[in-house]
Every structure is written in structure tokens, then in C-alpha cells.
């Protein structure tokens, strides 16, 4: 049996119980690792590709822009359940207490991000390069808005 | 300006040039971090939810199964460009040399995974719990097949 995969299975099995979303209840450190992974993946497709396209640092590629916007449509949904109350006291995270003291504002920041991603997806379907680049800029501001308020600087 | 986001921008800007897929050329250590993140996210939705459902360890939830299958449809595409030749000598990775010495076999293992995910997506649309659980089992075997051959045990 494969040790790495097995260890993941054991963590899932030992954690017991289940969360509302039908997840095996994850340990706080696992939730932090997963939410960081979701952020890393968003960074890959935004800062590693879309943003430099919008800034003219790499050539604009409409197909890649559309594909990455589609990836971000999924990825932008994935970090948030990792910010469970159980993770409040975790170290090695940039998360600020405001995440838990201002949950409505945190949710609004997530919604702004997802709205900006949806606008980018729509723009890539429209096929106008300037519109896509503007939507990329708005998406970057939505990233920044959330980091300004809820992540250590 | 936000330091964490800024540092990501600077890495993207300094890396210069661009890969075939219109990515700012990422450093090997960044590629390793990103591919690990993609694996972590697949693990979240497979081992943290779908697999324990199939094993009866958490209640079966058809809506969550369908949602997670949809997430995996995207996530199962994301690790592979992180296994660039430039990462061959990176430490702190479970990647085996076979990834680069047997590229056709590695690609076939990726394809098997994506085929298994597509079958799971189709099963969740069909609505038969036993079919979904069987598709989850097949997907687990596809994960294991790739780890058996291309990841350290």
C-alpha cells in the first residue's frame, strides 16, 4: 500500500464524525494546509498568468485566459471552509482575527472575489481583449481587498 | 501595498519570459509548491469526503458527491505542468525519476485519473448511489496506480 495515500486515508478515518458539508472532520492543521493550497492554486492562475497578460508582461492568449478564468471559477470557491473556528489559534498562517470577528465582512469579500471571477469568465466569452484585461484588473483588486482586511501584511 | 500579494507579483515579474501555455516562467520550487497544492486539493475532496462516503464512514450525500466530482474535474487537470524537467532535481518532493524517464506512462496515468473523474461526474448525474460509489472506488484506484509508479512509497 502507498504510504502517502494511506496516511491521508488514516487521517480521514481517525478524525471521525462529519461536518455539515459531508466532509470527514478535518484537523485544524489540515484545514490550514488545504486553504493555503487553494490560495496557491489561485495565485498560479492569476499572478502566474492572467495578471502578467493584463500588464503586457507576457503575450495575451485568449484561450489561456478563458481556461484560467474557468479554473478560477472553481478555485475561488475552495478556500473558505478552511477558515473554520477550529483554526483560530493555528500558527504559521497569515489569517487575521477579523476573519472570525467580522464574518459578514469576510463573506462579503469572498462574494466580491467570486463576482469578479464571474465577470472575468463572462468577459473571456465575449472575446474583447480590453474587456478581459479590465476584468483581470478588477479581480486583482478583489484579491487585494480581502488581503488588506483579513491577511497579515 | 500588501506584502504577500506583492511578493507573488514580484516573483512573476522577475521570472521573465513565458512558457508555451502563456505562464510567466515559474521557478522550479514554485512549480513544486503548486503541484503539491493541487494534490492537496484533490485529497481534500477525494479522501476527505468522497472516499469516506463510498466506504460508509460518513453519510452519502448526492449533492456533495456531485459538487466534489465537479471540483475534481478541474483539479485533476492542474498538477501536471508542475512536473517540468526543471524540477527534476528539487528536494522535498515525493516525485520519482520515472516521471521524466517514462513520460508516456506518466501521461497514461494522468489520463486514467481524468477518465475516472469523468466517469464519476457522469455517475453523479445519473443519481444511482451504488454507481457513484463504484466510480469513487475506481477513482481511488487511479490515484493509487499513479502513486505506485511515480511517487515515493
Amino acid at each position: 500500500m502507498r504510504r502517502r495515500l494511506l496516511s491521508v486515508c488514516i487521517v480521514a478515518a481517525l478524525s471521525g464524525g462529519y461536518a455539515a458539508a459531508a466532509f470527514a472532520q478535518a484537523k485544524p492543521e489540515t484545514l490550514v494546509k488545504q486553504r493555503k493550497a487553494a490560495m496557491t492554486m489561485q495565485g498560479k492562475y492569476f499572478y502566474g498568468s492572467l495578471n502578467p497578460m493584463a500588464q503586457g508582461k507576457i503575450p495575451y492568449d485568449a484561450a489561456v485566459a478563458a481556461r484560467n478564468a474557468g479554473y478560477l471559477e472553481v478555485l475561488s470557491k475552495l478556500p473558505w471552509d478552511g477558515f473554520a473556528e477550529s483554526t483560530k489559534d493555528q500558527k504559521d498562517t497569515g489569517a487575521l482575527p477579523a476573519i472570525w470577528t467580522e464574518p459578514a465582512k469576510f463573506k462579503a469579500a469572498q462574494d466580491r472575489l467570486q463576482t469578479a471571477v464571474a465577470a472575468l469568465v463572462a468577459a473571456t466569452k465575449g472575446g474583447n481583449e480590453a474587456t478581459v484585461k479590465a476584468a483581470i484588473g478588477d479581480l486583482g483588486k478583489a484579491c487585494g481587498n480581502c488581503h488588506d482586511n483579513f491577511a497579515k501584511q
Side-chain angles (χ1 to χ4, degrees), chain A residues 50-56 58-60 120 123 128-139:
Chain A
L50 291 168
N51 205 47
M53 270 189 215
Q55 295 174 333
I58 60 173
Y60 181 71
L120 175 59
N128 181 292
E129 183 177 328
T131 309
V132 171
K133 289 184 172 178
I136 293 169
D138 288 343
L139 177 50

